[in-house]
Structure formats: C-alpha cells, structure tokens
Amino acid sequence: MNTPARMGAYVLGLAVAFAGAFGIGGAVGATPPSAPVGNGHGGHATPAQAAPKADHVPGGLQVSQSGYTLTPRTTTITPGERTEFRFTVDAADGRPVTAYETQHDKKLHLIVVSRDATVFRHVHPELAGDGTWSVPLTLPDAGAYRVFADFVPQGGEGLTLGADLYAAGDYAPRPLPPPSRTVTVDGYTVRLDGTLTPGTASRLVAEISKDGRPVTDLQPYLAAYGHLVALRVGDLAYLHVHPDGAPGDGVTPAGPGITFYAEVPSRGDYRLFLDFQHNGIVRTAAFTVRAGQPSGAAPTGTADHGSEHAHSGH
Ligand SMILES: [Cu+2]
C-alpha cells in the first residue's frame, strides 16, 4: 500500500475508534452529556475527521468500558521491591476473558506510569488458563501509579482500560519535565520533530543518533521500529500510536527517523514515551510536548532515571 493510502486508512481507523468510543460510552451512560474532554477545534477538522467527537472519551480513563472491566488482584506494592502484579479483564458476565487477539506481537500490552508522568514501564504479562495475567514489576518510588491494559478481546474491539496502583511510603511528586525535543538515553540522542495539533493526525518524526552519527540499523520491536505511548498530563488520557510503515515492507528504513501519526484530543502538555531497540536492547526516550505549539529550538533535557525500560515476556 502506498503511503497516502496507508495514512488515510490510519486516520479512518482513528475516526472509527473515536466514534466507537463515543457511541458505546453514550449507550451505556458512561459519557456525561458534556464530558470536559472536547478540543473545541471542530471547525479546523479536515473532512476525514469531520465526525463530531468533541465528547469522545480517550482511552485509559475508565476501569470499565464496553462491557469489559480491568480488575487488579494486586493494588499495593512496595517501592523498590519486585512484586508480581496480577489482574484480570472481566467480561460483562463477570468471568475473566481468556481469549485475546494478538496486536503488535502481543495479546496484551501493559503500561504503568506514575501519576506525575515521570516513571514509565511497558511490559508484557503472561496469561494463565483461568484468565489471570501476571508480570513482575519493580517501581522505584512511593506514590500513585496508573496501570493501562491495552488489548483486543477475541472478536471484539481494541480497548485500553486504566486502574490505579499504589506504592506505599513517603511520596514526593516530581515537577513535570519542561518541554524538550531532544533527549539523551544511554548515549543515544533522540530528537523529536513535528507539531501535535489537537483533533488531527499529527506527524511526528523521531531521529535517533549515537556519538553524533545517525542510527540506521534499528531493530524491529513489537512489529515496528519504534513504539510510542502518548499520555495527557493531568489525567493520563492514553493514546497508543504507531509508526508509519513497518519493518520488511520494503520502504520503511531502519532509522535514523521513525515516523508516527498521533492524534491528541485537546491542547495541553503530553508525555511521550518512545521505545526503540538497538543492539538487542530496548530503550525509552521520554519527552514533554505541548500540543498546539510548533516544534523548533527547545531546551535539551535528559531522560529521567525513572523512564528506563523494564521488559518481560520476550
Ligand atoms: Cu507492548
């Protein structure tokens, strides 16, 4: 498929996803008539995005949606200690779901983020026959965390459900890292270009270099050369975005640039966590990006200690 067609399909997919979220939310009464998530920019939408979605609820904000409920079996952990985090996804009849579709190489993607949006984990739990998922987690600091389960129940639509997780102890929230388009992690420099414009599929390009040289031999990770999670600061609304193109399609280079399309629902600050794999190791670069602001010269920051990549399931 050529690039415009692929992008068109992606935009359409987003529109369908949002329309679906709105329709279902309305049907089960989960969406208040004036949910405060509108972007107020409907007049700027392109025809492909003209469907009203001012009231759509972004992913990750609800523990239960479309008849599926995320039920943590572990709700409190000790900071700094490896803890087995267990949960189920329960269907409308209360029984744990045991059959899932594979998306991006996995049946379920679990993202764990501190409420101050500084600590990030992306892990792949194991599914037991009874529908219980489990994964070892080590979280560095006391505080409140948000857990996101991103999955597709067999025969159903993709969903991201969110639940709270607590690490006991003295809590010292960190300030939001200032907006930055260049981050260094483990000797890699990652520069992010592009503008996040609310309500549109915004093109972002991450350029990866090491020791001043572009990295051109990125390795596939989760069926892509990069994996980007975008979270809205303030409520951690979850946007799971993926690159344009895939390894092995004959046109997508293995770096240094990875192109993504991300649609953010409103103005404001977002935290973007980019996973990429090189020399067999997955690393995460974390950015703060202000939606509605153009890219350009911006202060340089470094990846905070909490955003190292913890991984399992491979
Ligand atoms: Cu994943």
Side-chain angles (χ1 to χ4, degrees), residues 18-28:
F18 284 135
F22 175 56
I24 291 159
V28 300

Side-chain angles (χ1 to χ4, degrees), residues 187 189 208-215:
T189 299
I208 300 171
S209 59
K210 192 173 197 314
D211 304 324
R213 282 189 290 274
V215 174

Side-chain angles (χ1 to χ4, degrees), residues 104 106 108-111 122-124 221-222 227 240 311:
H104 312 300
K106 298 290 172 185
L108 185 143
H109 302 262
L110 191 79
I111 307 291
H122 176 178
V123 294
H124 299 110
Y221 173 61
L222 303 174
H227 191 278
H240 201 160
H311 202 258

Side-chain angles (χ1 to χ4, degrees), residues 3 28 43 97 99 153 181 188 190 193 203 209 213 217 240 262 313-314:
T3 299
V28 300
V97 176
R181 292 309 190 111
Y188 292 82
V190 184
D193 286 304
R203 185 171 185 265
S209 59
R213 282 189 290 274
D217 57 346
H240 201 160
H314 284 293

Side-chain angles (χ1 to χ4, degrees), residues 156-259:
E157 300 287 322
L159 270 180
T160 302
L161 301 177
D164 292 331
L165 175 66
Y166 302 99
D170 287 339
Y171 176 44
R174 276 184 286 260
L176 182 69
S180 166
R181 292 309 190 111
T182 305
V183 155
T184 56
V185 51
D186 279 358
Y188 292 82
T189 299
V190 184
R191 179 175 173 79
L192 190 70
D193 286 304
T195 304
L196 281 178
T197 304
T200 66
S202 305
R203 185 171 185 265
L204 296 173
V205 180
E207 291 255 348
I208 300 171
S209 59
K210 192 173 197 314
D211 304 324
R213 282 189 290 274
V215 174
T216 56
D217 57 346
L218 290 172
Q219 294 164 323
Y221 173 61
L222 303 174
Y225 284 123
H227 191 278
L228 184 65
V229 170
L231 298 163
R232 181 165 59 186
V233 173
D235 63 2
L236 300 183
Y238 176 95
L239 300 125
H240 201 160
V241 286
H242 279 269
D244 184 46
D249 65 4
V251 295
T252 304
I258 316 170
T259 301

Side-chain angles (χ1 to χ4, degrees), residues 64 66-69 71 73 88-98 130:
S64 186
S66 305
Y68 295 94
T69 302
T71 305
R73 306 291 179 190
T88 56
V89 175
D90 301 328
D93 63 3
R95 295 204 174 110
V97 176
T98 56
D130 67 354

